[in-house]
Amino acid sequence: MPVPVIVEGGADAAVGRGADAWTGFRAAPAHGSDAGVLVLSGSSGRIEEERCRLLAREGLAALSIRWFGGPGQPPGICEVPLETFVSALDRLRAEGASRISVLGVSKGAEAALHLSVLQPGIDAVVALSPTSLTWANIGPGRDGSTTPHRSSWTWRGQPLPFVPYDTGWTASEPAGAPVSVLGWYEQSVRARPDLVTAAAVPVERSAAELVLVAGGDDLMWPSLRYARELAARRGAAGLPVRLVTRADAGHRPRLPGEGAVPASGTFRHGGSPAADAALGAAAWPHIRRALLGPGSRPGTGPAAPATGQDSASGTGQDSASAAAGQDSSK
């Protein structure tokens, strides 16, 4: 089968309507597409060029942007205006996309889920290694300060309710070794249970099609637990959701055609290259269908049912973890 011809290049937008200015990367089929997807990285803030190219070859107009750490943006994930992402979605619409989706991993998934609740017109969200809660800032805000803790996100100028990190947590690994911060997230919830309800991402109010992908050996934050909480909220509201899991996968599922991510010298992500790739492969047909819509062409995998859970085969502990720290590998 011939490789589809894609076009790619830079993209940018100026400050406007509550949004920060941004720069990014766009890839799309040469013949155009009426399906657009905003691709969001995790706490690295990386522009996801490889993932955009992969999605463009599947028939999508894919745009990835830098949403913190750039000119005119907060230096950390601290009170980032969700309007910045709305500006990127508007760009996809202006370029001809009538079906709009967001694909995010980790902190990018947190933003994607909030967008689907707050912004009308988002057809699908794919949340890789998601959270069910809104968390405090990772890194400094516009004032250059990391503390006091503030929300990761704002909407219409107001910070979203969040859970702060417990300052009494310490890592169990030897000094200088990569760290799992699962305990930090779990301890933070135990320290402030009074804030959890307000900080919950209200996916029961989202009209978007929702695909959740999580590994049970995630050592960055408990994404499998979070994904199940999100799925339960959707189910209680009578709304469809697709949950794809694998017990031995970690924080960084890889989609078919993507290379393995190098090991981090700072964080323990869990999983393995083989397990992370297997989770991505199991999720791929459902991701592809959600992004392209029910009329997408056949040939890449079976269409996903509207609701349900898929558990990919494999071994590994059925637990997960979390990380509060800017991670250049996500």
Side-chain angles (χ1 to χ4, degrees), residues 130-265:
T131 173
S132 60
L133 300 171
T134 307
W135 286 95
N137 57 298
I138 300 176
R142 297 178 195 273
D143 59 0
S145 297
T146 301
T147 55
H149 285 142
R150 285 157 284 179
S151 182
S152 292
W153 320 106
T154 67
W155 178 247
R156 296 177 178 171
Q158 298 301 310
L160 301 189
F162 67 97
V163 178
Y165 305 114
D166 185 75
T167 56
W169 179 84
T170 56
S172 60
E173 291 83 1
V179 172
S180 163
V181 289
L182 163 64
W184 198 356
Y185 280 80
E186 294 181 327
Q187 185 168 312
S188 297
V189 168
R190 289 193 299 268
R192 295 303 308 267
D194 56 310
L195 300 179
V196 168
T197 298
V201 184
V203 291
E204 64 276 10
R205 302 209 309 258
S206 170
E209 184 176 350
L210 182 58
V211 178
L212 307 169
V213 182
D217 193 40
D218 187 338
L219 297 180
M220 288 295 284
W221 63 14
S223 60
L224 180 55
R225 184 190 315 158
Y226 292 151
R228 287 173 172 159
E229 290 173 0
L230 292 166
R233 287 179 209 157
R234 294 281 289 186
L239 296 172
V241 63
R242 169 64 63 184
L243 171 59
V244 186
T245 72
R246 183 178 171 98
D248 57 350
H251 190 69
R252 302 182 294 185
R254 303 300 289 166
L255 303 180
E258 293 182 329
V261 183
S264 169

